[in-house]
Amino acid sequence: MDQSQLQGSHARPDESSVWPDRIHAILKRNNISQVGYVPDNGHARLIALCQQDNEITDVVMTTEAEGPGLVLGATLGGKRAALLMQSSGVGNSVNMFSILKSCGIPCLLIVTMRGEFDDFNPWQVTMGAMTEATLKACGFLTYRVERAEDVEDIVSAGCNMAYGSNLQVAILLAQRLIKLSKGAH
């Protein structure tokens, strides 16, 4: 292998570094035109893609509890919305999730999991450990992504479940997935 081939092989994005791009493409394919979030380093690339996309209105929230209202408003206006948050944000939103279930509003929630796999912040551990059970208690179907190669299938299936059946679906992005993608850059 010559030097140019060697450099080219390192220039290609690693499988683990392109999952935000794949999620963005899935949001586009599913006609999601609003994305709400509280800034989060785990979602940084996906947030940037949504901000740069003229067909997606990105909504910066002051608290994750605003998210269910955003989804409800979008749905009543004939649009589709998705929410991006950390597992700690799930804890901030529990009371508001009831409006989605009570009104039969489809929701896609993409959660970066904290407090697991070598997370630097011990304050994230408690809610991270409770996130999936909390979401299930709130009526969400949950699907977990551990590997970058599973992002497309799981997020696409989640969109189909949410928007095809008026369900609330949460995709949990494992901390290991996030950490591996940060190391790939």
Side-chain angles (χ1 to χ4, degrees), residues 38 42-43 78 81 85 92 105 117 123 125 128 133 152 163 168 171 184:
V38 172
H43 279 305
M85 67 177 68
N92 298 337
I105 300 298
F117 188 75
W123 294 103
V125 173
E152 181 104 19
Y163 301 111
Q168 299 79 47
I171 308 297

Side-chain angles (χ1 to χ4, degrees), residues 65-165:
E66 297 170 2
L70 173 75
V71 171
L72 175 64
T75 302
L76 292 174
K79 303 289 184 187
R80 289 182 174 177
L83 300 175
L84 311 178
M85 67 177 68
Q86 302 185 353
S87 51
S88 58
V90 170
N92 298 337
S93 305
V94 169
N95 194 43
M96 293 303 297
F97 284 148
S98 64
I99 197 168
L100 301 173
K101 185 73 173 171
S102 296
C103 296
I105 300 298
C107 180
L108 179 69
L109 182 62
I110 302 175
V111 180
T112 54
M113 294 301 295
R114 296 294 312 270
E116 60 182 31
F117 188 75
D118 196 29
D119 193 339
F120 67 91
N121 187 343
W123 294 103
Q124 297 284 356
V125 173
T126 302
M127 192 60 221
M130 298 175 9
T131 297
E132 187 167 9
T134 300
L135 285 165
K136 286 181 177 182
C138 292
F140 279 80
L141 299 174
T142 62
Y143 301 98
R144 189 172 175 86
V145 181
E146 298 277 345
R147 302 174 319 153
E149 57 267 24
D150 295 332
V151 165
E152 181 104 19
D153 288 341
I154 293 173
V155 177
S156 292
C159 284
N160 290 340
M161 294 290 290
Y163 301 111
S165 302

